[in-house]
Every structure is written in structure tokens, then in C-alpha cells.
Amino acid sequence: MRTSIATVCLSGTLEEKLQAAATAGFDGVEIFEQDLIVSPNSPEATAALAAGLGLSLDLYQPFRDFEGVDEEQFAANLTRAEAKFQLMSRMGMTTVLLCSNVATATIDDDAVVIDQLRRLGDLAERYCIDVAYEALAWGRFVSEYDRAWDLVKAADHPRIGTCLDSFHILSRGTDLSRIAEIPGEKIFFLQLADAPALSMDVLSWSRHHRVFPGEGSWDLTDFLARVAGTGYAGPVSLEVFNDSFRQADTQRTAVDGLRSLRWLEANVSATFDDRASGADWGRDRLQLDLQPLPRVAEPRGIDYVELNTDDLGALTRQIHQLGFRFVGFHRTKPHVQLWRRGQARIVLTEPIEPEYAPIVPADESTVALAVSTPDAHSTASGTYLRGIGFAVADADAAMERALLLSTTEVPREQAHDEKVLRGVFAPDGSEVFFGDGDGEDPQWTDEFGTVPDDRQSAIDHINLAQPAHHYDEAVLFYTSLLALTALPSQDVPSPSGLVRSQVMSSADGAVRMPLNVSPDHSPNALSRGAGSPAATYPEHVAIACDDIFTAATTAVARGLKFLAVPQNYYEDLAARFDLAPELLDRLREHNILYDHDAEGEFLHFYTSTIGSVFFEMVERRTGYRGFGAPNAPVRLAAQHRRNTES
């Protein structure tokens, strides 16, 4: 599948955008007219740069406000079009995007529009240029793709075709069935964008809130499968208007965009393969070379959480108070230790100064990844969540898929007799490792020693903070690499503003990861460490237990100071739920919060924050699957008080 990206998706100069697209691995680009106009380079120089980078120039866009006008205006529009055709010829470009008229259309008459499209086609023929007519969702008279196609079909000109844009079609909720009527050769271009589910005018929605496929709420797998079934054989391109993307790192955004297309391509490939006959998707007409990815199932659970800390005493004291048992130091890395509580495992890593890092000779006892200095995270200061190990059915397939989705592998020291663990960097700078999990203790734990622990405890969920500019990237990362599902987002009020939260979850709930975007300039924002791409809101690890009151009693006996919950909360709790007075007193005594829904009950308490990490102990009763969302403002306010007072 040939991939393309519109330069409007990226920040920077036109030259920087072309370089980023090529480095990311795109086959071609759409040239957004404004990017060319403001460039100091000539059209010929721009074309030469693209060619030197191995990029095709797939589309010049947009040409606006052409059809549905009187003859005087139409003559002026033809003159304007010819100037653009001449410019495109200088660049070797052969396809232009014609948007349905928004501003100057005065005649809502199909016959007039058809005639004007034909005459434009005659002009385009002189320059060997194809015109892709697109229905803008807010077009004056033409705003639906099927009407645009009816006009193109009636014009019956070899140089006039249509452009299908997922945003303009899906934002209006148009019936997609008529896509199958369009011959693939008359679809001159295809543009893709996803979007979150918002209630707002479609123009503002389009101009500010588009995202890459997999980062929004639409089923683009279904959309692309329908288009592929027509026999379309051209580029599959991204056209995303997004305020955050236009401010973010150019190269990073380009990589995120290509990842979205490769993920979508694999989904569509699987869609065609999985259909018994494929006839309803037009498999016999398929022209796109759809490349699959190694298939991965949802992770079976979380093997471990790794925390980096320069305050080892405080952190080990707190997890001991939560009932964790010390397993041991790693047999070759004395700065790394393992703690466990049932199946909940926490790896603690102390930073190593580079000048004191051990030198490991690269001989037969080590593999090629052995290095003489630790990676950037190992030297970072502070206490922060460094990485997560996921138990997956096939670690090799998961790693291969991750690398094909343009991720970066984490360098790791590896002795010959140690379990091979491989992982990649997540968008927030943390590490994601893949382990073959089968419900038993993973093999790598033997490298720390053996401490039996059959308690019913595990990592319930991990709450990760995300930089605002890369939040959508994180959603796609976990969707595409681990087959997690993004649940609807929520806004949680805090003393510093609204916190956007979206849960990434496996279907069975074995993996739950709320992703949070903290308010800008929040006093609660703490650094993940020197290796972190941005300051982060505090993150936390939630530990499941089968008796929260026993866990709380043990923690108090060991000196744990809970995050204080105000009396007002318990008065409100009594008003909202018909709780026995004895239960309410026990909740109040231990600063335990409570929630209840039709499926069951949820009891939980929080620790204080060390660096940018705190812990939550939870007990789920019967079928409760949530996270105690009504209690989040209470926790945020309590943390705010504690942080500002200290």
C-alpha cells in the first residue's frame, strides 16, 4: 500500500516536513498550497528536494470555490485553475484536489455544475492533470460524497474523478453503501483522518480536532475496506488538521502518522482474510497491496512494573507497608531489586552514575546488546515509573509487530544465561517489555531468587500520565501494539483544572491503563526523570487484594500514612449509599474510599506520593469493573493539599 501524508499535518517549514515524511518512511506527500507559497524555494527546487528524498508528489491541494457560479466568475476561475496547472507542471505533479464550493457558489443546478466540471476537465487535459472533486462537509450546495460522485459520473470526463475523504464523509454520518458503486479508477485520491466524538460545528471539528487513524472514535477499518473493495489503487494519504500536531515535533508526528497507516493497513488486510467469501468487500477487485502485521492477542496481564528511584529507602518502606515482600537483588545488576505481593511484582532500579557504571566485556558471555554505560533513564534522578512488562502469548511476534510499527527498541544488558527480554519505548518515554506469560511466575524472576507468595494479589491497573501533545499518539501506541481498546474519555475536575482521562483496556480487564493528561502548569506536575520527554502528572500503580481492611490494618501497623480523606466525603457517602454504620466507620477510620454500581462494589485507599509515583490498594467485589471515578476529585484535591503544604 502506497502511503502519503499532507504537509498540513506537520509542523515546521515545507523542507522540514518533506524531510520528516521521508525519514518516517512515507512514499509520497500532498503539497498544501500555503506551505509552498511561504517557502523561499522555487517549485522546481521543492520538486527536486522531494525526488532526492525518494518522495512522490501525489496531490496539490486545495483548489477552492470553482463550480456553481455564473459565467463571468467561471471564466475567472478557469484562469485561476490554469495558473495552478502550470505550476503543477513545473513540479511534475499530475493530480489536484478540487473542493466543493463553499464561498462563491450561487447556482444550485446539477446541469451547470456538470458542464463546468467538463470544461475544467478539457483544460486539465491540456496539462495531463487529473482533478479529484471532493465534497466538503460544509459545502454550499455539494456536501455529501455520493452527490459529488453523481456529478462526476454525469460529467463523464476522463480527467474528472472524485476524492473520498473519511472526515467529510463520516462527520456527516453519511450512508457508506454507495462507495461500492464508484469504480476504483474514478477515485482519483483517498484522504484519511479520524476524530474524537464531539458535539460541535463540523468546520471547527475539522479544522482543529482531526487525529490519525486509530486515535479517534471512527471505524476506519470498515471505511478503508469499502474503498479498497472498489479496486482503488492509488495512495492512501493522511490529511489531519490538528492544533497539537502543528505544534509538536515534526519527525515524531510523521512517525506517528505512518504507524497509524500501517496499523490500519494490517486491520484491513485481516478483514479481507477473515471474511469467508470476501465477495461483499470486493476481494476480487482488490488492488491495494495490503501488508499484514504479526497478529497479537490482548496481553494476558501485567508481569511487573519497574520504578526508577533515587529515594530507595522511602520507596521500599512504602511498598513494605503495603505488604510487598523483598525477593532479592538481581544476580548481575546489584542496583536492581524485585519485590512481590502475590502476582504483583515491582522492580526497583537505582540510578547509576555513568562514571561508576560497570564495564561489561563483549565476549562469549554476553550478547551484542551489552553496553558499558546504562541507558539515559538509568542516570535520571527522581522516582518515576520507568517501564511495564506485559505478559503476552507470543513475545517474539509482539516485538516484531512493534518494530514494524516504527517503535524504538530499548537497549538492555543481557548475559548469556539470563532470560531474553525485549521491549520498546512508549511515547511518554517509558519502556514496554513483552514477556511470555502463562499465569505462572515468569522465568526472569529466578534471576532475583525465589520467595513463594500465593496471596490473591496482582497489579489491578496502572495510571499513566501523558504529555498533552502526545496523548493521541499514546492511544494509538497501545491500541496498535497490544490490541488494547480505548474506552470513552472522561474529564475529571481537580484543583488545577480538568484532567482528561481515557482507559486502555483488554476485553477481560486483565490489563487496565487509564491515560491522563494533566492541566498545563499544574503544581502537581512532577518530572518522570532526566530522560523524560516532559513533566508528568503523578502516576500510580493500583494493587488488587482480597481484603482491603486487612491490607489497611497491616499498612497502619507498619507505619503507612494514608492520603487523608476529608470528613465531608464520608458524610456525602452516607447520603449517596445505604451503607451500614459499621462499614462507614471502618471506611472513615482507614481513609478508604467507596463506590458501588449495578455490578458490585469498589473499595480503595491511596498512599502519599514519592517523586511522581504513588500507590493505590483496591478491592473489587463481585463484578465491579470501574475505577471509582466519582472519588477521583477527592483524591486529586487531597494530593493537591499535601503537595502544596509540603
Side-chain angles (χ1 to χ4, degrees):
M1 185 179 87
R2 290 192 60 247
T3 59
S4 187
I5 186 170
T7 56
V8 74
C9 299
L10 305 171
S11 63
T13 65
L14 177 57
E15 295 69 35
E16 291 169 340
K17 295 178 182 192
L18 294 178
Q19 181 66 60
T23 301
F26 281 95
D27 299 307
V29 295
E30 304 177 35
I31 297 293
F32 191 67
E33 184 173 61
Q34 183 176 338
D35 285 326
L36 181 66
I37 290 173
V38 302
S39 173
N41 292 337
S42 68
E44 291 82 359
T46 297
L49 174 60
L53 292 170
L55 292 171
S56 58
L57 299 180
D58 297 327
L59 184 75
Y60 190 80
Q61 65 117 330
F63 189 70
R64 303 180 186 274
D65 299 326
F66 176 80
E67 81 292 4
V69 296
D70 60 35
E71 275 300 311
E72 181 179 359
Q73 182 64 56
F74 181 69
N77 290 348
L78 276 180
T79 300
R80 188 161 52 91
E82 185 165 21
K84 297 305 176 185
F85 293 166
Q86 292 170 349
L87 171 65
M88 291 173 61
S89 297
R90 292 168 60 191
M91 301 179 70
M93 301 185 70
T94 59
T95 307
V96 64
L97 178 69
L98 172 63
C99 300
S100 61
N101 200 324
V102 172
T104 65
T106 57
I107 304 172
D108 185 13
D109 186 325
D110 286 359
V112 170
V113 173
I114 291 166
D115 175 67
Q116 292 177 347
L117 287 177
R118 282 200 192 108
R119 291 157 70 184
L120 178 63
D122 291 341
L123 177 62
E125 179 65 44
R126 291 165 47 191
Y127 292 91
C128 298
I129 285 174
D130 291 329
V131 179
Y133 183 51
E134 172 188 62
L136 293 183
W138 52 91
R140 177 70 176 86
F141 297 127
V142 179
S143 58
E144 302 278 6
Y145 83 92
D146 48 357
R147 186 176 182 197
W149 162 239
D150 287 339
L151 294 168
V152 167
K153 183 179 180 181
D156 192 23
H157 195 290
R159 291 293 179 181
I160 302 296
T162 191
C163 172
L164 297 181
D165 183 312
S166 64
F167 182 88
H168 293 297
I169 297 172
L170 298 177
S171 64
R172 295 183 62 90
T174 311
D175 179 10
L176 303 182
S177 62
R178 290 201 62 199
I179 290 177
E181 299 177 15
I182 309 175
E185 63 271 15
K186 292 302 287 184
I187 302 174
F188 284 1
F189 209 74
L190 173 65
Q191 294 175 321
L192 298 179
D194 207 337
L198 300 173
S199 296
M200 63 191 312
D201 70 276
V202 70
L203 179 58
S204 298
W205 195 9
S206 171
R207 286 287 177 258
H208 304 287
H209 300 288
R210 298 193 197 191
V211 290
F212 291 137
E215 299 177 353
S217 60
W218 291 335
D219 186 356
L220 288 185
T221 297
D222 174 78
F223 181 84
L224 180 55
R226 290 175 183 272
V227 177
T230 68
Y232 176 73
V236 178
S237 188
L238 298 170
E239 188 196 39
V240 173
F241 297 85
N242 184 291
D243 296 344
S244 294
F245 289 6
R246 296 297 297 271
Q247 300 171 38
D249 178 78
T250 310
Q251 186 60 60
R252 182 168 177 166
T253 304
V255 170
D256 185 33
L258 187 66
R259 179 181 299 136
S260 76
L261 284 183
R262 292 305 182 205
W263 167 79
L264 182 61
E265 176 185 20
N267 284 358
V268 176
S269 175
T271 294
F272 278 93
D273 290 344
D274 290 345
R275 295 271 170 170
S277 66
D280 53 344
W281 291 102
R283 181 187 297 172
D284 57 329
R285 296 189 297 275
L286 183 64
Q287 296 295 317
L288 293 180
D289 181 19
L290 299 171
Q291 295 299 311
L293 290 170
R295 296 200 186 187
V296 297
E298 295 176 334
R300 297 171 173 175
I302 295 175
D303 267 349
Y304 68 89
V305 172
E306 182 174 3
L307 305 177
N308 195 92
T309 183
D310 60 1
D311 195 355
L312 188 63
L315 189 56
T316 55
R317 183 165 51 251
Q318 190 172 87
I319 62 176
H320 169 69
Q321 291 164 343
L322 290 173
F324 279 81
R325 296 171 181 169
F326 177 64
V327 177
F329 294 97
H330 191 273
R331 65 189 182 203
T332 64
K333 303 179 183 71
H335 61 292
V336 181
Q337 54 184 269
L338 174 64
W339 292 70
R340 70 177 297 181
R341 189 185 197 281
Q343 293 301 306
R345 304 177 192 89
I346 296 178
V347 175
L348 301 182
T349 301
E350 290 186 277
I352 305 175
E353 296 300 328
E355 59 268 30
Y356 299 115
I359 303 295
V360 180
D363 55 25
E364 67 275 9
S365 66
T366 58
V367 299
L369 286 179
V371 294
S372 60
T373 57
D375 61 83
H377 284 277
S378 296
T379 61
S381 60
T383 296
Y384 56 90
L385 192 150
R386 173 171 172 166
I388 305 171
F390 291 92
V392 297
D394 187 336
D396 291 337
M399 187 65 192
E400 182 184 359
R401 180 183 176 94
L403 293 177
L404 289 172
L405 286 167
S406 303
T407 58
T408 301
E409 184 166 3
V410 177
R412 182 176 181 270
E413 295 180 8
Q414 186 74 61
H416 76 285
D417 59 346
E418 293 176 358
K419 171 67 176 176
V420 175
L421 290 176
R422 298 180 68 191
V424 298
F425 288 105
D428 62 0
S430 62
E431 301 166 0
V432 168
F433 277 85
F434 308 105
D436 294 311
D438 55 7
E440 302 295 329
D441 284 346
Q443 184 180 344
W444 60 266
T445 61
D446 294 341
E447 297 164 19
F448 293 86
T450 303
V451 174
D453 192 336
D454 59 358
R455 287 176 292 175
Q456 297 300 306
S457 189
I459 295 175
D460 184 86
H461 64 273
I462 302 171
N463 196 309
L464 297 174
Q466 302 297 315
H469 286 174
H470 303 302
Y471 182 86
D472 297 312
E473 180 185 358
V475 171
L476 175 62
F477 176 87
Y478 289 109
T479 299
S480 61
L481 266 68
L482 289 163
L484 298 179
T485 299
L487 304 182
S489 64
Q490 295 181 322
D491 290 333
V492 180
S494 82
S496 304
L498 288 179
V499 178
R500 180 185 173 192
S501 181
Q502 187 163 23
V503 175
M504 307 298 300
S505 177
S506 57
D508 62 1
V511 172
R512 303 180 181 96
M513 294 196 309
L515 304 180
N516 290 348
V517 174
S518 62
D520 293 338
H521 311 299
S522 165
N524 286 341
L526 302 171
S527 176
R528 187 187 293 279
S532 172
T536 64
Y537 208 70
E539 302 176 308
H540 78 266
V541 179
I543 312 301
C545 66
D546 57 359
D547 186 341
I548 197 161
F549 292 108
T550 298
T553 300
T554 299
V556 169
R558 293 179 176 181
L560 180 65
K561 294 183 178 179
F562 298 134
L563 192 66
V565 179
Q567 172 62 25
N568 291 338
Y569 168 78
Y570 293 104
E571 293 182 4
D572 178 68
L573 199 63
R576 289 191 294 123
F577 298 110
D578 183 20
L579 299 179
E582 297 80 6
L583 174 58
L584 194 61
D585 289 342
R586 295 184 75 189
L587 295 172
R588 183 187 296 109
E589 177 186 358
H590 294 296
N591 288 279
I592 294 174
L593 297 105
Y594 177 92
D595 191 32
H596 179 94
D597 63 16
E599 304 300 324
E601 297 174 290
F602 186 67
L603 293 82
H604 55 140
F605 66 79
Y606 296 97
T607 69
S608 60
T609 303
I610 300 175
S612 61
V613 175
F614 63 96
F615 297 94
E616 178 185 10
M617 188 68 71
V618 309
E619 179 188 347
R620 296 179 182 273
R621 296 181 175 178
T622 60
Y624 188 97
R625 292 176 61 88
F627 301 90
N631 299 328
V634 180
R635 186 259 297 172
L636 289 166
Q639 287 178 324
H640 179 82
R641 283 194 304 273
R642 191 154 193 162
N643 290 338
T644 54
E645 289 170 359
S646 60

